[in-house]
Amino acid sequence: MKALPLSPEGPRPARNGVRRAVSLLLDFLEIIGLHEKTQPFESRLESLRLRYLQFRDALSANNEILALITDLEVRLQERRPTGPTSVKAKAVAALTAAQRMVNALNGLSDERYPSLRLALKRIERRLATCFGGAAEPPEALEWVLPLSRLDRSLAPWVGHKMANLGEVRNRLGLPVPEGFVVTARAFRAVVDSAVGADFLLDSGAAAPDEDLERLGRALRAQLAAAEIPRAVEAAILDAHSSLLRSAGPSSRVAVRSSALMEDSELSFAGQFETLLNVTPDELLDAYRRVLASLYEPRGISYRGMFGVEERDLAVAVGVMAMVEADCAGVAYSRDPVEPGSTDVILHAARGLGTALVEGRVPPEELTVHRESGAIRRRSAPDSRAADSPPLLSDHEAATIASWVVRMEQHFGMPQDAEWARDREGKLWILQARPLVFSQPVRPARLPPEGTRMRLEGGETAVPGAGSGPVARVGPDTDLASFPLGAVLVSAHSSPAYVRALRGASAVVTEVGSVAGHMASVAREIGVPALLGVPRAMDLLAEGEIVTVDAGARKIYAGRVEEVLTERPGPACRPEGEGIRLLTDVSRYVVPLSLTDPRSAGFTPLACSTVHDVARYCHEKLFEEMFGINRLVGDARRQAPLLDVFLPVDLYVIDLGGGLASPRGSRRVRRSDVASPLFASLLDGMLHRGIPRGGPRALSARGFFQVVLRHGVTAPEGDASLREPCYALVSDRYLNLAARVGYHFSAVDAYCGDFLNENYISFRFKGGAADRQRRERRVRAIAEILKALGFTVRSVNDLVDAHFQKQPREVLLATLDRIGRLLQFMRQMDAAMESEAWVERVVSAFLQEDYALERGGAEGQKGTAHAAPPGASGRGGAPDL
């Protein structure tokens, strides 16, 4: 192939001669200091600052990854309810943070780690398989869906409450009132238009209760007044019109929450608004009120207790034809207090079931044999007249029992169902969810003789025992100030008391039952609860110390240790899709296989998890920053000289917040140093107790070895030994590398907001004496560093040490000791006459005997106090 000409007219010899002359002139100007041929200092400084910022961002990303890993581990260990939305968000956040670390490391190293990107891409593909590649069903894109189209596969879009009802109606064929659901997609559209996409309130954060309540109040107000997008509003009204046509034009509706995690791993019993007998004119306002109830104080507290994240709680809303009930209640396919029982438990109350589940009326209770349907036990509330007929006939009780047994078999787990009987005598299923069981506890021992009984009776909602001062609560009580460890006593149970339940040692109410919302929440939390105890509010005085044995249904005066044998744990909960997904995702995020940086397997392609990528990057980031000093070049004309007594000329480069002196200053003093890390190191180097001329007990033989080596090697002729020393400093970072004479020392340190960020790396190599003396000095340095808490590796005359994850005050104090070590060990190789000197030097330093005045060592005879050539001045010293 014919070569292309250099220019249209070919080469021009005259032009080349001019260029050569200009080049020679520039070379001359550079020699005399009037021209800088290399990259201008300002450009190099900006490059250094950029690398430092990349380093800081990588440390921040590493902390984010470690926090995510901790969160995932805790959720798995505690089997904490977690929805698919937040699991996916955590996976994306982990990948994003890891990508930042990879980008930073490659930016610092000029792209020396390209295979890290391949490893991360492989992990990303594996995580993607956890979420599947199937497209969302068409139903997920609709604003409203009729009950006739629902089944449990649609729970991610319509919530478990409505999805389960659809399953019961459409798969089991059981009677469920007509209705429709306003989907989670509609919720997000309303929220986006009302308060914006960033509306989430992190109820799991450690924010003060008053702050969460204030934020929740503001969000409730915004959602209650939200303008519903026209498309959503039209869909709701059209579905409502269709419902009225099928259920009767005069029918009213019930508007209920169906949040995405409700009635699944957690019940959320009573935590959202339920509105009954809603007229057509009230429908849209009722919808808004249900959405706004997401931020009621009780709901915020409930979510905070279980670590449920807001992003998992998009609120779908069910709208159902009202059942004009003359009797309603709750059915459990198994006894929630005794999981081993095979009986079905029914609770019934006159009228709507609202009063029953809210704990305002006592129920009629029936125990039904699950196979035969026979009534094994029937108990009526004390308030019912003796001659009143039972609320449920034997046949009706057997019918409801058979339904919940079928539901248990269909869903594969015990069921908690709400039912109602209308005025025509027809039975309906209104809700179906997994049954929450209490953890089994050992029966309490009998109290000692003489123990005074305060009250007995009631119904065990959660077995176990608790003791503390009585704290009586009512509708107007400030629950945020409920005393920790107190016994909650109230007139009736209420799910609104959840804010107090998390700190209560036990619960006692005058009215309430195991069928109520509060009983469900108490089982989930694991708080002993005794409900339906007559006159509890009258007979238990505020502040009185009592012991509640909920299993035995007894309340004793004072603290009875014999009774306090065991407290129930959190409820046995079903594990939903979130836990399975959490387990799968954690497999590619949490484990750490790259543990030893020195092993042959510590490579980018060996990274199989996000944790591995973070660990590899973290290790290599320190290495890259340790060598950042090499990028400075010769900056003596631009960087200020540190004006303190040190055996080297030390120039300071401020990366941001490191110096307080005016920009452009040619010299800086100790008082101008703003960097806490550099200040601590300097204070150690300038310690008054360290002799400025080096160790006072130099071996004469060692001294002459240094003189001989200095004369033979003529270090003045080696340009590398005359290179300036630089300290790169910021408000959080320090990098000092000093090559003086025959020895090199370097310190790299960072002190940030988190323990995981904080570290000191230290390296020391070489010396002017013979190999044995240099190695003895290194062994002494290594022992001192180990005593200071460093991880140390030493080979021949090299020591490499690291100090990590320590509080700020410890890190700064350690830098002070490193500064002292640098000065104390100057020329000490010449003094290391024998092995005994290793122990002596270590002991002297740790006892702050820097002048070596408190002890002797073998071989001290024939010492010389003169320093090697150049030791008393700057720049020419053979050793620092």
Side-chain angles (χ1 to χ4, degrees):
M1 184 176 183
K2 186 176 179 181
L4 295 175
L6 297 178
S7 70
E9 299 178 11
R12 293 187 178 181
R15 181 180 297 176
N16 289 341
V18 172
R19 287 175 178 169
R20 178 166 178 75
V22 170
S23 176
L24 291 172
L25 176 61
L26 292 176
D27 288 342
F28 172 74
L29 293 176
E30 182 185 9
I31 292 172
I32 64 175
L34 296 179
H35 171 68
E36 188 169 10
K37 190 174 182 179
T38 57
Q39 183 184 17
F41 175 72
E42 285 300 325
S43 177
R44 277 181 282 145
L45 180 58
E46 284 306 308
S47 176
L48 290 169
R49 286 174 175 162
L50 175 61
R51 288 169 185 260
Y52 168 62
L53 291 176
Q54 289 176 318
F55 175 65
R56 281 187 59 166
D57 183 60
L59 291 181
S60 175
N62 184 66
N63 285 322
E64 291 174 22
I65 290 171
L66 294 178
L68 283 164
I69 287 171
T70 300
D71 181 66
L72 292 173
E73 288 177 322
V74 168
R75 288 178 180 277
L76 282 174
Q77 289 167 3
E78 299 179 357
R79 314 308 287 178
R80 185 177 292 179
T82 306
T85 303
S86 64
V87 175
K88 188 170 185 177
K90 293 176 194 301
V92 171
L95 283 171
T96 302
Q99 187 66 63
R100 284 164 54 198
M101 293 193 75
V102 170
N103 290 343
L105 178 58
N106 277 303
L108 285 169
S109 65
D110 298 322
E111 295 292 329
R112 280 207 303 275
Y113 304 94
S115 53
L116 266 176
R117 303 188 194 280
L118 298 177
L120 194 59
K121 181 61 71 174
R122 184 175 66 243
I123 296 167
E124 182 180 356
R125 286 195 298 269
R126 289 172 176 171
L127 281 169
T129 63
C130 297
F131 299 98
E136 293 182 349
E139 291 87 349
L141 304 178
E142 298 191 39
W143 304 119
V144 170
L145 288 170
L147 187 64
S148 60
R149 289 174 58 188
L150 301 186
D151 58 38
R152 53 181 165 172
S153 69
L154 294 177
W157 299 277
V158 303
H160 288 270
K161 183 183 292 183
M162 293 302 293
N164 289 350
L165 281 176
E167 191 80 11
V168 169
R169 178 190 186 276
N170 303 319
R171 300 290 182 266
L172 287 177
L174 298 180
V176 175
E178 291 291 337
F180 63 89
V181 63
V182 188
T183 65
R185 181 186 177 220
F187 165 78
R188 295 188 180 100
V190 173
V191 165
D192 287 350
S193 67
V195 294
D198 299 327
F199 77 102
L200 297 183
L201 170 63
D202 186 4
S203 57
D209 280 348
E210 56 271 21
D211 289 349
L212 290 177
E213 187 166 347
R214 175 177 51 79
L215 291 170
R217 187 165 53 248
L219 287 168
R220 286 199 307 276
Q222 287 179 286
L223 288 174
E227 181 176 345
I228 301 174
R230 289 184 179 180
V232 176
E233 180 178 326
I236 293 173
L237 296 178
D238 286 347
H240 184 252
S241 297
S242 297
L243 175 60
L244 294 184
R245 285 194 296 272
S246 62
S250 62
S251 296
R252 300 190 177 199
V253 297
V255 182
R256 311 176 69 187
S257 65
S258 184
L260 295 194
M261 287 189 68
E262 187 179 3
D263 287 353
S264 57
E265 295 158 85
L266 291 172
S267 70
F268 285 85
Q271 302 308 308
F272 294 97
E273 192 82 65
T274 293
L275 300 168
L276 304 178
N277 290 308
V278 175
T279 66
D281 291 342
E282 299 168 333
L283 178 61
L284 294 179
D285 281 339
Y287 173 66
R288 294 185 186 94
R289 285 179 59 184
V290 173
L291 299 189
S293 67
L294 175 64
Y295 295 106
E296 288 288 347
R298 63 179 183 266
I300 295 172
S301 295
Y302 182 92
R303 297 193 294 275
M305 274 190 294
F306 296 105
V308 176
E309 298 185 17
E310 224 79 351
R311 57 169 60 94
D312 288 325
L313 272 177
V315 183
V317 175
V319 179
M320 301 180 68
M322 279 293 301
V323 173
E324 299 295 333
D326 74 340
C327 177
V330 174
Y332 298 128
S333 63
R334 296 180 185 269
D335 191 332
V337 180
E338 297 182 13
S341 170
T342 58
D343 290 330
V344 174
I345 307 298
L346 304 182
H347 291 79
R350 196 167 300 283
L352 297 173
T354 309
L356 173 62
V357 296
E358 290 181 355
R360 291 187 277 112
V361 297
E364 179 175 288
E365 183 177 337
L366 299 90
T367 302
V368 184
H369 192 276
R370 67 187 293 111
E371 293 178 2
S372 68
I375 307 300
R376 296 166 61 92
R377 186 174 68 89
R378 185 191 292 267
S379 62
D382 295 337
S383 59
R384 201 181 81 184
D387 58 348
S388 298
L391 294 176
L392 281 177
S393 69
D394 290 1
H395 175 72
E396 288 171 330
T399 298
I400 296 172
S402 69
W403 288 355
V404 293
V405 170
R406 283 181 61 194
M407 290 159 58
E408 176 182 307
Q409 293 168 346
H410 180 78
F411 286 104
M413 63 187 69
Q415 292 294 294
D416 169 356
E418 290 184 14
W419 58 268
R421 184 184 65 203
D422 65 22
R423 292 175 182 174
E424 283 73 43
K426 184 173 181 178
L427 294 170
W428 300 89
I429 294 295
L430 305 180
Q431 183 169 329
R433 66 185 176 197
L435 176 58
V436 176
F437 287 109
S438 297
Q439 286 276 23
V441 296
R442 292 191 304 271
R445 290 177 290 169
L446 292 175
E449 288 188 21
T451 302
R452 185 162 61 96
M453 179 89 68
R454 295 290 285 112
L455 282 170
E456 63 179 325
E459 182 180 6
T460 301
V462 184
S467 182
V470 169
R472 298 191 294 185
V473 302
D476 299 324
T477 302
D478 178 13
L479 298 175
S481 60
F482 184 85
L484 186 65
V487 173
L488 186 153
V489 178
S490 68
H492 61 80
S493 62
S494 170
Y497 295 159
V498 65
R499 301 183 72 191
L501 285 182
R502 57 181 175 177
S505 62
V507 176
V508 178
T509 69
E510 290 185 343
V511 178
S513 76
V514 70
H517 289 324
M518 183 172 170
S520 292
V521 175
R523 287 196 297 271
E524 287 178 319
I525 299 171
V527 181
L530 184 58
L531 310 182
V533 182
R535 301 189 64 201
M537 288 286 279
D538 293 335
L539 298 178
L540 299 179
E542 182 77 18
E544 174 187 1
I545 304 296
V546 297
T547 298
V548 178
D549 183 351
R553 303 178 184 181
K554 298 180 187 298
I555 302 173
Y556 302 100
R559 183 176 179 86
V560 184
E561 294 293 343
E562 290 78 5
V563 172
L564 300 173
T565 55
E566 189 171 356
R567 178 184 172 92
C572 302
R573 293 191 300 265
E575 292 189 350
E577 175 68 11
I579 288 293
R580 184 201 64 76
L581 191 58
L582 186 68
T583 303
D584 291 345
V585 166
S586 296
R587 188 178 301 121
Y588 302 116
V589 176
V590 174
L592 177 65
S593 59
L594 297 189
T595 56
D596 185 3
R598 291 168 293 183
S599 72
F602 196 84
T603 65
L605 291 179
C607 295
S608 59
T609 67
V610 171
H611 202 168
D612 284 340
V613 171
R615 178 70 180 89
Y616 185 87
C617 289
H618 196 257
E619 182 70 24
K620 296 303 178 182
L621 281 164
F622 291 161
E623 292 182 13
E624 295 299 332
M625 289 303 289
F626 201 95
I628 195 174
N629 217 286
R630 71 181 185 277
L631 303 175
V632 175
D634 188 349
R636 282 173 289 186
R637 295 197 304 275
Q638 296 89 359
L641 177 68
L642 183 65
D643 191 7
V644 297
F645 185 87
L646 287 175
V648 292
D649 287 337
L650 185 58
Y651 295 87
V652 185
I653 296 177
D654 186 5
L655 299 178
L659 294 176
S661 57
R663 188 173 182 179
S665 300
R666 299 302 303 132
R667 288 179 177 270
V668 292
R669 300 181 179 276
R670 165 61 184 85
S671 57
D672 297 319
V673 175
S675 167
L677 292 88
F678 191 35
S680 296
L681 185 74
L682 276 179
D683 289 345
M685 296 174 74
L686 299 173
H687 191 281
R688 292 181 179 276
I690 301 175
R692 297 197 172 187
R696 296 182 178 178
L698 288 180
S699 158
R701 181 180 174 187
F703 167 71
F704 286 115
Q705 276 192 357
V706 172
V707 172
L708 178 62
R709 185 178 184 193
H710 190 81
V712 170
T713 59
E716 294 85 353
D718 186 347
S720 68
L721 302 185
R722 292 181 283 111
E723 290 178 354
C725 300
Y726 296 100
L728 280 64
V729 299
S730 80
D731 55 341
R732 300 185 179 198
Y733 179 68
L734 161 68
N735 182 285
L736 170 68
R739 170 71 188 272
V740 184
Y742 296 97
H743 119 237
F744 169 84
S745 60
V747 180
D748 190 77
Y750 186 88
C751 186
D753 297 326
F754 302 95
L755 287 182
N756 287 322
E757 296 176 335
N758 298 348
Y759 75 90
I760 303 171
S761 292
F762 176 80
R763 191 171 293 169
F764 190 101
K765 178 175 175 58
D770 61 74
R771 180 180 60 82
Q772 280 190 327
R773 293 172 187 262
R774 297 198 309 272
E775 292 181 0
R776 287 172 189 151
R777 174 167 66 171
V778 160
R779 287 200 296 276
I781 292 173
E783 291 304 314
I784 291 170
L785 291 172
K786 289 177 185 177
L788 295 180
F790 280 74
T791 301
V792 181
R793 180 177 67 92
S794 58
V795 180
N796 299 329
D797 66 347
L798 166 69
V799 62
D800 194 0
H802 301 277
F803 185 78
Q804 293 181 315
K805 300 180 182 180
Q806 295 294 328
R808 175 187 176 87
E809 57 275 11
V810 174
L811 194 86
L812 296 180
T814 304
L815 276 172
D816 179 281
R817 303 294 291 275
I818 292 297
R820 300 184 198 187
L821 183 67
L822 286 172
Q823 292 299 88
F824 176 71
M825 284 296 178
R826 284 177 51 230
Q827 305 162 19
M828 191 64 76
D829 55 340
M832 307 296 279
E833 182 73 13
S834 67
E835 288 298 317
W837 269 93
V838 175
E839 183 178 347
R840 183 186 177 192
V841 167
V842 172
S843 177
F845 182 87
L846 296 177
Q847 296 176 21
E848 300 190 9
D849 177 21
Y850 302 125
L852 297 171
E853 295 175 340
R854 299 179 194 168
E858 180 185 333
Q860 283 189 58
K861 295 179 181 180
T863 59
H865 294 282
S872 61
R874 290 180 179 166
D879 207 1
L880 173 59

